[in-house]
Amino acid sequence: MTTQDIDLGVVARGPQGPQGNTGATGAQGPQGNTGPTGPRGATGPAGPTGANIIKYNGDISGNGASGQTATFARSNLQPSDIAKVGDIVFDQYPNGNGVDIGFWRITSLSSTSCTVTGLSSGFTIPKGNKGDTGAQGPQGIQGPKGDKGDKGATGDRGPTGPQGIQGLKGDKGDTGTTGPRGPQGPKGDTGATGPAGPSNADTLKDLGDYTATASGTTSNSTYAGLPRTSGVSMSRVYKNGYPTPYGNVLNVAGVGSGQLLLGWSGTNSANEHLYYRSHRDNGYGGWSTWDKIAYVSDLTWANISGKPNVATKSDLTWANISGKPSIPNADDTTTVSSGDLNNYTTTGKYYMPNGVANYTNHPTTGTDMGDWFVMKVDAYHGGDMIVQTIYQINSGDVWIRQRWSNSWKSWRQINFWS
């Protein structure tokens, strides 16, 4: 029962009655029609086709916010050789909370520089907590035994102990008796008496003239033509079949033999040659031919037999040398009617019979363009440095320029007189 305002006042509400039963839920009505499709949102920017993600080696100024631009050396791209316009570049640098990262797009690129535009504000990767220290690993196996250390220095020798007592002297042994002397042996035979020496012991005696035996004769015995069959002897040469008409021969006789001929010169105060020959230890083949011992004075070109056909000192003239290079005359001058002065890089002198205006790359300011001239070219350092000097005939003006490493400098007018 509800209360109701009346003119007489408010009547108190009575007690609330019991709640009524909940009515049954009605069946769900049919689904309504789908509402019309809302307008399509604006299409976002298309991502780059085949774009590379490239790191910048350092910090790009700014945080990569949209519209920011920066230019830097291309060599700072990592890697720089594959970079192209449209690629994404990111940079990162640490701060107190972690690592800041900014993103940029390459908008222009050359062989040396790169320009980028920011895509969006960068973000920070927070610093991670330090991980727990891992457990200590097991102890490694024992290493190999080290090398034996060096032996220490020997200590000082201790003091000598006291001398012991002298032992007893032993008894002297008995001396044995001397045995009986044996009988004397028989006297030996007396040897044969040797030949008597020369009367003067300091001189080898001249045994006189002995005719020389022929060389290469099979009938000559080992001692043919020698004064003795053994030992050293001397004999005289005096028109008796030796290579020189006069001289002395030293003969050495043994199982084999040899002869040394010391000739006398037929001219006063002059030397004769030495000769030598030998004989083997049998009678076959005879004496060898005499070999003449040459002096230094014998070693002349005329005395050499079988020598090749070679040039003498008098033949060594410039005119006789074939295949010689063409050596230019230092005073030679080449005449040039026209042309490009840049092409004259070989050392030399050039005569230009026409005015300066007929040649390209000539001096211009302050020169007489109709004046003919001569030009001197000097090349240095393998052609790296070229110096050209122009002397004008009528005006007497002098011009000079140089080229270094294929780059010509400007012409400069100079003056050697006042």
Side-chain angles (χ1 to χ4, degrees), residues 7 12 18 31 35 43 74 80 101 139 145 157 220 223 254 284 316 322 348 358 364 407:
D7 294 338
Q31 181 174 348
T43 303
R74 179 171 179 167
S80 63
I101 298 181
Q139 182 176 348
K145 185 177 181 180
R157 183 175 180 178
N220 289 341
Y223 312 114
Y284 304 101
L316 299 179
S322 62
N358 292 279
T364 55
S407 178

Side-chain angles (χ1 to χ4, degrees), residues 262-287:
L262 298 84
W264 309 336
S265 174
T267 304
N268 294 336
S269 303
N271 281 332
E272 182 54 87
H273 284 80
L274 300 176
Y275 293 84
Y276 173 77
R277 71 173 180 172
S278 62
H279 197 302
R280 65 170 301 183
D281 57 349
N282 58 40
Y284 304 101
W287 286 92

Side-chain angles (χ1 to χ4, degrees), residues 100-237:
D100 282 350
I101 298 181
F103 290 92
W104 316 73
R105 187 189 310 279
I106 296 177
T107 55
S108 67
L109 189 67
S110 70
S111 59
T112 58
S113 65
C114 177
T115 301
V116 295
T117 300
L119 297 178
S120 62
S121 296
F123 61 93
T124 299
I125 299 176
K127 183 190 299 184
N129 297 326
K130 183 176 180 181
D132 297 331
T133 303
Q136 182 175 348
Q139 182 176 348
I141 60 174
Q142 182 174 353
K145 185 177 181 180
D147 297 331
K148 184 177 180 180
D150 297 333
K151 185 177 180 180
T154 304
D156 298 332
R157 183 175 180 178
T160 304
Q163 182 176 347
I165 60 174
Q166 184 175 349
L168 299 176
K169 184 177 181 180
D171 298 331
K172 182 178 180 180
D174 298 333
T175 302
T177 58
T178 303
R181 183 175 183 179
Q184 183 174 348
K187 184 178 181 180
D189 297 334
T190 302
T193 302
S199 58
N200 186 342
D202 296 331
T203 303
L204 185 62
K205 184 178 180 180
D206 184 355
L207 300 180
D209 299 345
Y210 282 83
T211 301
T213 54
S215 298
T217 304
T218 58
S219 60
N220 289 341
S221 69
T222 308
Y223 312 114
L226 301 183
R228 290 183 178 174
T229 59
S230 64
V232 178
S233 61
M234 187 179 76
S235 56
R236 189 176 71 157
V237 174

Side-chain angles (χ1 to χ4, degrees), residues 11-152:
V11 181
R13 177 183 297 179
Q16 182 174 347
Q19 182 175 348
N21 296 332
T22 303
T25 301
Q28 182 174 350
Q31 181 174 348
N33 296 331
T34 301
T37 303
R40 183 176 181 177
T43 303
T49 302
N52 299 315
I53 306 298
I54 300 175
K55 184 179 184 302
Y56 175 79
N57 185 19
D59 177 31
I60 302 175
S61 177
N63 61 359
S66 177
Q68 288 183 343
T69 61
T71 301
F72 47 82
R74 179 171 179 167
S75 59
N76 286 337
L77 295 178
Q78 301 289 320
S80 63
D81 55 333
I82 66 170
K84 65 180 182 297
V85 174
D87 287 346
I88 305 301
V89 177
F90 73 95
D91 69 319
Q92 58 185 31
Y93 61 95
N95 61 24
N97 299 320
V99 178
D100 282 350
I101 298 181
F103 290 92
W104 316 73
R105 187 189 310 279
I106 296 177
T107 55
S108 67
L109 189 67
S110 70
S111 59
T112 58
S113 65
C114 177
T115 301
V116 295
T117 300
L119 297 178
S120 62
S121 296
F123 61 93
T124 299
I125 299 176
K127 183 190 299 184
N129 297 326
K130 183 176 180 181
D132 297 331
T133 303
Q136 182 175 348
Q139 182 176 348
I141 60 174
Q142 182 174 353
K145 185 177 181 180
D147 297 331
K148 184 177 180 180
D150 297 333
K151 185 177 180 180

